[in-house]
Amino acid sequence: MPTKSTRVPTHASTPVKRRPGGRSARVQDAVYSAVGKLMATQRPDQITVPMVAELADVNPTSVYRRWGDIDALLEEVAVAAFTREDEVLPDTGSLEGDLREWARVITDDIVRPHRTRYLRAMVNARDGVVLDACPCWTARREQLAEMISRAHTRGERTPSVEQVLDHVIAPLYHHVVFALPADTAYAERLVDDVLSMRSAESR
Amino acid sequence: MPTKSTRVPTHASTPVKRRPGGRSARVQDAVYSAVGKLMATQRPDQITVPMVAELADVNPTSVYRRWGDIDALLEEVAVAAFTREDEVLPDTGSLEGDLREWARVITDDIVRPHRTRYLRAMVNARDGVVLDACPCWTARREQLAEMISRAHTRGERTPSVEQVLDHVIAPLYHHVVFALPADTAYAERLVDDVLSMRSAESR
């Protein structure tokens, strides 16, 4: 998973594993940072490779060679932005407490205007593709599996990882990309709903 | 609701109420049709007012005067495409049967490539806005209210309209715009989940 080793310099606080070294890393940092700055003021569909290259002070050819096109670059930066390495997984002693805290943190994160722009950029970059899974959810799946496994150890009845993705994460992202209101109260209502479902495992 | 009186000529089979008459209707038909054709081959962010005007054989000034900008036009066409006047609401005798059939029809509709493009165009047009509600859901809300009301008359326990929107419609649309797999089996699983929830009304 190359995307897991990348990071957005303005969001991650510590270096991560498998990060490219030397000149390659400097180019990546400069390019990611340039994308982040452009995202703050431009619509994703207005951002071009030459704009990124100029702001990053690198040769456009280097950008094309490494990322192929602007959509692939925006996608990679977006995925990196959703895979924060500094995030602490909640451990409150109950799955309800864990999921509420986890959903609140995600909501606060994705409603920020520049993060919403990243999400819309991902939608935009999806034209003509069908994915088996959204790479931005890999980290979310792992976090959910851990929280649910802890709940099982405590003897709690739980929804499945897929149910939490479908009924908490998907509606939150849907609301954000379609510009519908999304706040922590909404996130907590989704958590209540999923916890009141019959578990997929018991079907 | 002006959007309810509009239609996409290639999808609606019958004329609808409050449709503008005469020259205004001809311009609208030509412009909607041009947007539909462009959507089949272009990314939404590549479609411009001059392109639409040329294909529709109308003056670009008329398009700007009536719709303001390309995003407003794309949005209106998308909303019209989601408000089909020829759709028959399922009435199977149980809410489970109704919701399964309803979700299957919606899924088959939104996974078609040109419909997916409309959806992504809507996401694209959302930049810088926050809505109280997505106008594309007005018809869905009314349909759900009717199916749920019939279920109450039969004495069935039901989820709320909001719960079905959050847990069936939102994940379906989320999957489609993010290019994740969505089929009728997935839609039916979402319906099973929402029917197994504690109703929001009984909380």
Side-chain angles (χ1 to χ4, degrees), chain A residues 110-186:
Chain A
I110 66 180
V111 298
R112 288 182 296 157
H114 75 276
R115 200 54 72 99
T116 301
R117 271 193 212 105
Y118 278 128
L119 273 172
R120 297 212 177 104
M122 290 183 74
V123 167
N124 224 22
R126 290 283 183 266
D127 205 48
V129 249
V130 177
L131 307 163
D132 282 334
C134 179
C136 58
W137 282 6
T138 307
R140 298 298 175 206
R141 266 177 215 281
E142 291 168 2
Q143 292 176 328
L144 277 171
E146 187 177 330
M147 290 187 287
I148 288 173
S149 157
R150 284 198 309 237
H152 285 162
T153 307
R154 288 188 300 258
E156 291 182 50
R157 182 183 156 276
T158 73
S160 67
V161 168
E162 291 308 313
Q163 282 179 313
V164 182
L165 288 175
D166 284 338
H167 299 292
V168 178
I169 292 291
L172 280 176
Y173 280 47
H174 172 89
H175 267 54
V176 167
V177 296
F178 279 94
L180 296 166
D183 58 18
T184 51
Y186 176 65

